[in-house]
Amino acid sequence: MRGHWRLFRHEAGRIAGPPAWVYVLLFAASQLIGHWSVATFDAVAVWLSNGILVAALLQLHRRPAVAVLTACFTINLFSNIIRGDVGMLLWLNALMNMGEAFLCAFLARRVCGAALDMRRPKRLLTFAGYSAVPAVAVTAAIGFGLVMLVRQTGFSTALGFGIYAFFIVELLGLLLVTPILLLVARAHRFQGMTRARGPEAVGLFVLMLVVTTVTFWQDDLSVAFLTFPPMLLISLRLSPTKTGGALFVLAGITGVATLTGHGPINLTRLADVPGLEMVAPMLRRLGIYNLYLLAMVATILPISTVMTERRRLEACLRARTLAAQEARRTAEDAAAARSRFLAMMSHEMRTPLNGVAGFADVLASRPGLDAVAVRQARQIRASSDGLLMLVEDILDFARGDDTLTNEPLDLAAVARETVAPSLAAAEARGLSLIIDDRLPAQARFTADRRALRQALHPLVANAVKFTERGEVVVRLDRAGDGVCIRVSDTGCGIEPSILPDLFEAFAQGDASIRRNHSGVGLGLALAARHVRRMGGRIDVDSRVGEGSTFILNLPFERAADVVEDIRPAEAAAPAEDCGRIPSVLVVDDHPVNREVARIMLEAFGCEVVEVCDGQQALDAVAEHPFDLVLMDVRMPIMDGLEATRRIRALPGAGEELSIVAMTADAMPEDVSRCLAAGMNAHMAKPINQAGLLSMVNLALSGDLPAARVTLEAEAA
């Protein structure tokens, strides 16, 4: 705020505008022009000196500004002596000029701010209304008041006309000179803001000179309005500094023409006003000319600043648009890189887990193994499942929200799939893990299978983890137009202080080093995220020591019901299908993965053939009929997607062969790519015996979904 009341530019501020001696020369030149005008025409059209002083005070630091004031005051006194002023008039004129400039600069600093940026039309109008007009009015009141006091005369019509003439001449000088000098000082800010190039700018100036000269050096027609169109074009096409220069040129031509008795101003018929008989007609006509010039300045200069500000804003908008587009491209590249990273991490983490979990299953099912070894093998499997869940949670949290893929689902079947990984932990604790299905029999609801499983899984896993005795119940029921799923336990409950942050990422009920339960605190955050993705709401009802209930209200629409095909139990074992040994081709470049799959399949009574890349798989299928192909995706020589497309193109059994992706690429887009390439189903690593047996049974019974090759896959 103190900076607004400071008169001179701050010493630390950047010097703007011409050096101090230029202002002194301009002031001296304005005095010479005034003397010449009075000596030649006995009148002054525009008083420029005070506008130059105001610009000097606003642009210069304190010491050079004081030096300029001193020099200009001296020049003004010398000019008054040459003009013949004596006594009080000798000092009064110079003091009034200095006082008017000082007051105008002081008010301008206050109302226009420290920047004095006249590019903004609002500041230009503020300078005119709150700085220039009050300064001239105060100076006129003081000056003419002293004259009336010294001469001891009252107010008269002639005195009123003198005040009017003084006011408008002084105001024109301030409005014409000061803003233009301030704009010139910041001319570098107008670079690139001019629409017109060099030839057009020269043409516009020539047009203005021709029209102005023709209009003001003829004595027949009152056509002063013809000078507005060229100046309007200049204000629209050129910068404010060039527009200000054009106004100076126009003022010079029109002022000299008017003072010499030419132009439309001199064609004006003067009214007979009592009391103005002694006022020269030229002085009265100069009042009309001053109004014309004031209208020109008040119109053209604001239009020029408005257009420049508009061009500046357009340039800023273009720059910000380009920056936003670049930021968007960067974000898209980052998102693509993140997706590639997550897919690679998922693949690389699942591949070794497949060996750990697979061999743990093989060891646990080996005949003759003692109970301790079986228990240890199952603990290895449970640990690998826990690690897999942690990896999936972290990757899922980092991945963000995917587009939902809705399909008709048996919600009870999805719930059974979801609780399967927690069954072993529940049995170890002696808990009952119950699915309470209260939905209509054979009902189907439109939902995203993956999102629903990822919402339910952490709730069930947490319920088992925090329950020492009793039961965990997953209840499915209708709720209005949707479905309500409740996951209840009889565990320790949740402290009320923890409830507000329960669904925040990495929030834990006990984060100390003495806590009883493991976990990173992502499960509930992911559950809440997936519930929101599906358009639902998740609530919690918990009492310490009595247990907790998580309530999922999901807006699933009812789909068409289906009648399930109940197949005979004999089809459970693939080796007993019509007495024929099923033949399975395992395609994987990793020997451990092939060995795990082979051991599991041979335990089912299958005949297994192993190959390590897509080209070998293509050759094997062409030479030998298989009931099922378990196809990896990432392999050398030929990947699994290309191998599948080529197998489908083989004549004969290639179209009917069951091909299942058995891969560590487990992202939703990976599943879509596999199905689009012509695979029947997708099975993510690490695999287990139950899942593999189920897939073999589906292949032998013909219940796998039909293969489809999309146009995108064919084009690829």
Side-chain angles (χ1 to χ4, degrees):
M1 182 62 71
R2 292 179 58 189
H4 287 175
W5 292 107
R6 183 186 296 116
L7 175 60
F8 306 108
R9 178 178 291 276
H10 194 277
E11 294 297 327
R14 178 188 175 199
I15 297 176
W21 60 269
V22 174
Y23 291 105
V24 176
L25 288 181
L26 289 175
F27 186 86
S30 67
Q31 292 288 318
L32 290 176
I33 293 173
H35 275 290
W36 169 79
S37 179
V38 171
T40 306
F41 309 109
D42 199 26
V44 177
V46 180
W47 185 250
L48 305 175
S49 299
N50 293 346
I52 297 170
L53 278 178
V54 173
L57 290 174
L58 294 175
Q59 297 287 9
L60 299 175
H61 293 160
R62 180 169 55 86
R63 290 184 179 179
V66 171
V68 168
L69 277 178
T70 304
C72 292
F73 183 75
T74 303
I75 292 172
N76 202 165
L77 285 178
F78 183 72
S79 174
N80 293 343
I81 293 173
I82 294 177
R83 189 171 59 190
D85 291 342
V86 294
M88 185 186 70
L89 292 179
L90 174 67
W91 296 91
L92 180 61
N93 177 266
L95 290 173
M96 286 179 60
N97 286 335
M98 297 299 118
E100 179 183 304
F102 186 91
L103 180 59
C104 182
F106 182 78
L107 294 175
R109 181 71 72 186
R110 178 67 186 94
V111 299
C112 295
L116 296 169
D117 190 354
M118 293 298 168
R119 295 180 301 165
R120 306 292 175 87
K122 181 180 178 181
R123 289 186 178 177
L124 185 63
L125 296 176
T126 300
F127 171 79
Y130 294 97
S131 179
V133 171
V136 175
V138 170
T139 304
I142 294 175
F144 282 90
L146 290 175
V147 171
M148 292 171 61
L149 182 63
V150 171
R151 295 181 178 179
Q152 296 183 350
T153 57
F155 184 82
S156 62
T157 304
L159 182 62
F161 177 80
I163 295 174
Y164 159 76
F166 173 85
F167 180 86
I168 197 167
V169 168
E170 294 284 336
L171 182 63
L172 263 176
L174 292 178
L175 295 182
L176 186 62
V177 177
T178 304
I180 293 175
L181 288 178
L182 293 177
L183 289 170
V184 169
R186 290 160 177 81
H188 61 281
R189 297 184 178 179
F190 303 118
Q191 293 179 359
M193 300 297 173
T194 303
R195 290 287 176 85
R197 301 300 179 187
E200 183 182 353
V202 172
L204 290 174
F205 265 88
V206 170
L207 177 63
M208 183 272 296
L209 289 172
V210 171
V211 172
T212 303
T213 302
V214 171
T215 300
F216 272 81
W217 288 92
Q218 53 85 33
D219 302 320
D220 298 324
L221 300 173
S222 182
V223 287
F225 59 86
L226 291 180
T227 58
F228 275 89
M231 289 301 302
L232 187 60
L233 285 174
I234 289 175
S235 67
L236 293 175
R237 301 293 296 175
L238 303 182
S239 67
T241 53
K242 293 183 174 64
T243 302
L247 281 173
F248 268 121
V249 174
L250 180 136
I253 295 174
T254 57
V256 172
T258 300
L259 289 173
T260 55
H262 298 287
I265 303 299
N266 287 284
L267 298 177
T268 305
R269 187 176 65 85
L270 298 176
D272 295 331
V273 179
L276 296 182
E277 295 83 359
M278 300 303 294
V279 178
M282 175 57 69
L283 291 178
R284 296 183 61 187
R285 289 193 174 93
L286 278 179
I288 299 172
Y289 168 75
N290 289 333
L291 288 176
Y292 156 80
L293 196 58
L294 183 62
M296 183 71 75
V297 172
T299 304
I300 299 303
L301 205 55
I303 289 177
S304 179
T305 56
V306 166
M307 295 306 299
T308 303
E309 183 66 10
R310 177 181 175 180
R311 290 192 285 268
R312 185 188 69 83
L313 293 176
E314 289 175 351
C316 289
L317 180 60
R318 287 192 296 270
R320 291 183 180 181
T321 301
L322 292 175
Q325 292 173 347
E326 182 62 27
R328 178 180 178 180
R329 284 192 292 269
T330 302
E332 290 174 347
D333 293 342
R338 184 189 65 177
S339 297
R340 291 192 298 270
F341 170 78
L342 293 175
M344 185 60 67
M345 288 300 100
S346 175
H347 180 275
E348 295 304 317
M349 291 177 181
R350 287 174 181 273
T351 297
L353 281 175
N354 187 59
V356 174
F359 280 117
D361 275 349
V362 170
L363 287 175
S365 60
R366 175 173 291 180
L369 203 64
D370 61 82
V372 175
V374 171
R375 181 177 60 82
Q376 292 172 346
R378 288 177 177 173
Q379 287 178 345
I380 294 173
R381 175 69 200 205
S383 298
S384 68
D385 288 342
L387 179 58
L388 177 62
M389 285 189 291
L390 176 60
V391 168
E392 288 183 337
D393 285 347
I394 294 174
L395 292 176
D396 191 36
F397 181 77
R399 181 176 177 80
D401 296 343
D402 295 314
T403 303
L404 294 175
T405 304
N406 292 323
E407 57 180 323
L409 295 178
D410 179 357
L411 300 186
V414 176
R416 286 191 292 271
E417 295 174 11
T418 304
V419 304
S422 301
L423 285 173
E427 292 175 359
R429 288 173 172 264
L431 303 176
S432 299
L433 186 50
I434 303 169
I435 303 293
D436 183 8
D437 182 14
R438 302 187 181 185
L439 296 173
Q442 313 302 331
R444 296 291 183 271
F445 294 87
T446 303
D448 183 290
R449 179 185 297 270
R450 177 183 173 88
L452 181 58
R453 288 184 59 181
Q454 290 175 326
L456 286 176
H457 177 263
L459 301 181
V460 175
N462 278 358
V464 172
K465 183 196 307 183
F466 291 100
T467 302
E468 297 294 336
R469 63 180 64 87
E471 63 183 12
V472 175
V473 180
V474 179
R475 193 179 83 183
L476 298 91
D477 202 353
R478 292 298 300 250
D481 295 333
V483 173
C484 178
I485 303 177
R486 305 168 70 93
V487 180
S488 305
D489 64 64
T490 56
C492 59
I494 304 171
E495 292 286 345
S497 60
I498 301 173
L499 289 175
D501 300 323
L502 191 62
F503 297 104
E504 296 295 327
F506 305 108
Q508 295 175 327
D510 182 6
S512 69
I513 61 175
R514 295 174 296 178
R515 59 182 178 157
N516 296 324
H517 308 286
S518 61
V520 294
L522 284 177
L524 294 181
L526 289 172
R529 174 193 287 181
H530 292 302
V531 170
R532 287 194 299 269
R533 287 177 59 207
M534 294 183 288
R537 187 183 75 254
I538 184 170
D539 301 310
V540 60
D541 180 18
S542 180
R543 293 175 177 82
V544 177
E546 298 181 14
S548 305
T549 299
F550 288 85
I551 307 164
L552 280 63
N553 291 287
L554 301 165
F556 293 160
E557 296 181 359
R558 182 80 175 266
D561 295 348
V562 298
V563 178
E564 294 199 9
D565 183 12
I566 307 299
R567 295 189 176 273
E570 300 86 58
E576 300 175 6
D577 184 17
C578 303
R580 182 173 61 84
I581 298 177
S583 179
V584 181
L585 175 65
V586 177
V587 188
D588 200 307
D589 63 322
H590 202 292
V592 173
N593 294 335
R594 294 199 304 271
E595 184 177 358
V596 168
R598 177 177 56 78
I599 294 173
M600 289 183 177
L601 290 168
E602 288 177 346
F604 303 151
C606 297
E607 178 184 312
V608 181
V609 176
E610 300 177 39
V611 295
C612 60
D613 61 63
Q615 182 61 54
Q616 293 182 8
L618 184 61
D619 297 339
V621 170
E623 296 174 0
H624 183 77
F626 292 98
D627 297 295
L628 175 64
V629 175
L630 299 176
M631 181 76 73
D632 192 16
V633 173
R634 296 177 185 266
M635 295 180 293
I637 302 177
M638 182 184 295
D639 61 72
L641 301 179
E642 180 63 23
T644 301
R645 285 191 285 266
R646 296 197 182 187
I647 290 173
R648 293 302 183 199
L650 291 175
E655 298 178 359
E656 303 298 330
L657 179 61
S658 296
I659 304 177
V660 175
M662 187 177 68
T663 175
D665 290 341
M667 294 295 184
E669 60 269 22
D670 298 324
V671 178
S672 300
R673 279 197 296 268
C674 291
L675 299 180
M679 297 183 185
N680 300 85
H682 179 280
M683 185 167 55
K685 295 175 182 176
I687 60 174
N688 55 57
Q689 287 180 311
L692 188 57
L693 175 60
S694 174
M695 194 63 68
V696 173
N697 278 329
L698 289 173
L700 294 178
S701 62
D703 287 343
L704 284 176
R708 55 184 178 85
V709 182
T710 65
L711 293 177
E712 178 185 356
E714 291 175 352

